[in-house]
Amino acid sequence: MATEDKNSATAAAILPLVGGAANVGSIAHCMTRLRLGLHDRSLVDDEALKAVPAVMRVVEDDTYQIVLGPGTVARVTPEFERLVEEGRAAATAPGEATPPAPASASASADELAAQGAAMKAARKAKNATPFKLFLRRIANIFVPLIPALIGCGIIAGLNGLLVNLGWLTSVTPALAAMASGFMALIAVFVGYNTAKEFGGTPILGGAVAAIIVFPGVANIEAFGQKLAPGQGGVLGALGAAVLAVYVEKWCRRWVPEALDVLVTPTLTVLLSGLVTIFGLMYVAGEISTAIGTFADWLLSNGGAGAGFVLGGLFLPLVMLGLHQALIPIHTTLIEQQGYTVLLPILAMAGAGQVGAAVAVYFRLPRNQSIRRTIRSALPAGLLGVGEPLIYGVSLPLGRPFITACVGGAFGGGFVGLFNQLGDKVGSTAIGPSGWALFPLLDGNQGLGTTVAIYAGGLLAGYLTGFLATYFFGFSKDLLAEFDVAQEPAESTVAATGGPTSPPTKEPAGV
């Protein structure tokens, strides 16, 4: 089947299972997930969705998220949007939703799927705190920027390689412009997205944030110092746009309707702009500088230990929803230094998961259901998409999740050690992980050295995760419970990377 036909077929299969075009309120996608705002969650057929060949998993959060994997999601989303528009146009009555397709019969008795789903639901309930919801909003500002960060990051890496080799000298200046143009104006995009996320007029948020990168601010003095274009970076842009939203909302309440179109935009830009120039740029600049200085100090002085802790704790941070606080930090480091030294260390958490999953595969030779899940989810895990392995294998089993974190800790410690020795390993973009991060690697040494250190970290994570899980990941009771032959059945996980959810049972003991 041609790629376009395959993507169209995937979109066509998904649409009726989420309640049809009339049930879809919003459509977006990130690196791996199709994110849908749905009017009526009860119209969704979760089990049938998991059986769609391209679907790795489904996640219910503030939006309904269908995990399709990197690359695939960017191709399926336009097809899905087209089908939704066609469905709305053909609808005879507004608000009438297409009935979902009948649920397919459950094809897998994998008990881990139910436990993983139960744990995920419990995690979601615990994560719905005001602070974590705020972090999620911050993440929503930066996630749409990831494709541009990746594209520009890869071009920057290619340009650096050509410059070092002395090749295509007439082309490298153009590549440098392509790679740097977005980063030079990233504050504007952050301001636009921030205003949109917090309920203001997006273009006003972008207009206020644009002040930060305007070259003319070099002629302005604040706190006894001359300002510099870009001072404050993305943090300043975020603060300026949030302020603009509050000013705009105040104006909407008090400015007469007849004057609103003239007065509200003017006061929003004027008042927010003055505070940005004479306050936020300086304060945010100091904070941004402190973040960069602290990251350098942390890895220069405690690299191995810091990498061990960061690599080992990243997955628990993800489970708690606290990892979203790292996104502005990554972006600030990329803006300041050209790469973030934290992401390659945190990516080692996925390596630990892969090693642990392989160990589970060998420790449960009779359980064909779990082994099928691992075989189908492992390629995605190698590319940094860890949900199928986490929720389908290691987390429900208990101990393997802990030993996977141990693998991530050793991989992070390996990369951190080389940072401490002066060989920085960074990523020019955020989003990808695992093998998908190789094209985005950068550092203060040659590309070969940087790639070798990152690859060594992955191998350390794989090996330690495997050994820790193989020898310490199973108690006798756990082996007795799960290393049993399963009833032969056609498993949906072979195509989806995510098993169906059978009746629940108590989670496996740690």
Side-chain angles (χ1 to χ4, degrees):
M1 181 184 292
T3 302
E4 291 185 4
D5 294 338
K6 182 180 178 182
N7 295 329
S8 298
T10 299
I14 291 173
L15 183 57
L17 301 179
V18 295
N23 195 40
V24 179
S26 63
I27 305 170
H29 75 86
C30 60
M31 279 295 301
T32 59
R33 304 180 184 190
L34 173 63
R35 298 170 179 257
L36 305 178
L38 302 176
H39 299 304
D40 186 351
R41 173 65 181 82
S42 66
L43 297 178
V44 178
D45 190 335
D46 296 297
E47 298 308 316
L49 269 173
K50 294 174 185 176
V52 174
V55 175
M56 295 179 176
R57 197 153 189 89
V58 296
V59 178
E60 187 179 358
D61 210 325
D62 52 332
T63 56
Y64 191 78
Q65 302 170 15
I66 302 172
V67 182
L68 298 173
T72 301
V73 68
R75 292 169 172 80
V76 171
T77 300
E79 298 295 330
F80 187 82
E81 290 174 334
R82 178 180 59 80
L83 292 176
V84 169
E85 289 301 320
E86 291 176 356
R88 289 171 178 168
T92 56
E96 180 181 351
T98 304
S104 61
S106 176
S108 171
D110 191 344
E111 298 166 343
L112 296 186
Q115 296 177 29
M119 291 178 177
K120 185 188 297 185
R123 177 181 60 85
K124 179 188 173 186
K126 291 180 180 179
N127 285 351
T129 64
F131 175 68
K132 292 175 183 175
L133 291 175
F134 173 76
L135 291 181
R136 189 176 300 159
R137 299 187 78 175
I138 298 299
N140 290 341
I141 294 168
F142 290 92
V143 165
L145 306 179
I146 289 177
L149 284 168
I150 292 173
C152 295
I154 291 177
I155 293 173
L158 174 62
N159 184 63
L161 180 63
L162 292 175
V163 169
N164 290 336
L165 295 174
W167 294 354
L168 301 177
T169 54
S170 61
V171 176
T172 51
L175 292 177
M178 297 176 200
S180 304
F182 173 74
M183 291 306 301
L185 297 174
I186 190 173
V188 179
F189 296 101
V190 169
Y192 184 96
N193 288 347
T194 300
K196 182 178 180 181
E197 178 67 24
F198 282 85
T201 302
I203 198 64
L204 291 179
V208 174
I211 297 169
I212 293 174
V213 297
F214 176 60
V217 297
N219 300 320
I220 302 172
E221 188 174 297
F223 294 95
Q225 299 179 10
K226 288 280 188 179
L227 295 177
Q231 185 173 338
V234 294
L235 298 182
L238 195 155
V242 169
L243 177 61
V245 169
Y246 281 101
V247 173
E248 180 187 0
K249 289 181 177 179
W250 181 87
C251 290
R252 300 289 184 201
R253 286 198 305 268
W254 296 102
V255 173
E257 187 173 342
L259 300 175
D260 181 71
V261 70
L262 297 175
V263 174
T264 297
T266 304
L267 286 180
T268 299
V269 175
L270 177 63
L271 297 178
S272 304
L274 288 172
V275 174
T276 298
I277 291 171
F278 293 106
L280 283 177
M281 285 185 67
Y282 176 81
V283 173
E286 293 298 305
I287 295 174
S288 298
T289 301
I291 289 174
T293 301
F294 177 73
D296 287 339
W297 176 87
L298 180 66
L299 295 180
S300 296
N301 293 275
F308 189 90
V309 173
L310 290 172
L313 293 183
F314 183 63
L315 284 180
L317 285 178
V318 172
M319 306 305 298
L320 295 172
L322 297 176
H323 66 295
Q324 294 166 337
L326 296 171
I327 296 177
I329 296 176
H330 287 313
T331 310
T332 298
L333 291 174
I334 292 171
E335 190 179 35
Q336 282 185 344
Q337 303 176 2
Y339 51 81
T340 168
V341 292
L342 298 179
L343 185 58
I345 292 175
L346 300 176
M348 296 302 118
Q353 282 291 330
V354 169
V358 174
V360 172
Y361 185 88
F362 284 104
R363 289 290 272 161
L364 302 179
R366 299 185 188 90
N367 194 319
Q368 294 304 313
S369 180
I370 292 178
R371 286 163 70 92
R372 278 193 299 268
T373 300
I374 294 171
R375 284 197 302 268
S376 61
L378 202 57
L382 290 170
L383 292 174
V385 182
E387 288 100 332
L389 289 178
I390 295 172
Y391 292 111
V393 181
S394 66
L395 184 62
L397 285 172
R399 279 193 186 183
F401 179 77
I402 297 174
T403 52
C405 292
V406 173
F410 275 86
F414 182 92
V415 177
L417 174 62
F418 279 90
N419 273 275
Q420 188 173 0
L421 296 175
D423 298 323
K424 290 185 178 180
V425 178
S427 170
T428 57
I430 57 177
S433 184
W435 292 3
L437 198 63
F438 276 111
L440 296 167
L441 292 177
D442 196 3
N444 62 344
Q445 304 295 333
L447 182 60
T449 301
T450 302
V451 169
I453 294 171
Y454 181 72
L458 289 178
L459 290 175
Y462 295 153
L463 183 60
T464 308
F466 176 86
L467 293 175
T469 304
Y470 192 90
F471 291 107
F472 305 106
F474 287 88
S475 64
K476 291 183 179 179
D477 291 340
L478 200 60
L479 278 175
E481 181 180 0
F482 285 99
D483 191 21
V484 294
Q486 302 293 307
E487 289 296 324
E490 180 186 352
S491 175
T492 59
V493 300
T496 65
T500 55
S501 296
T504 59
K505 64 173 286 180
E506 290 301 313
V510 176

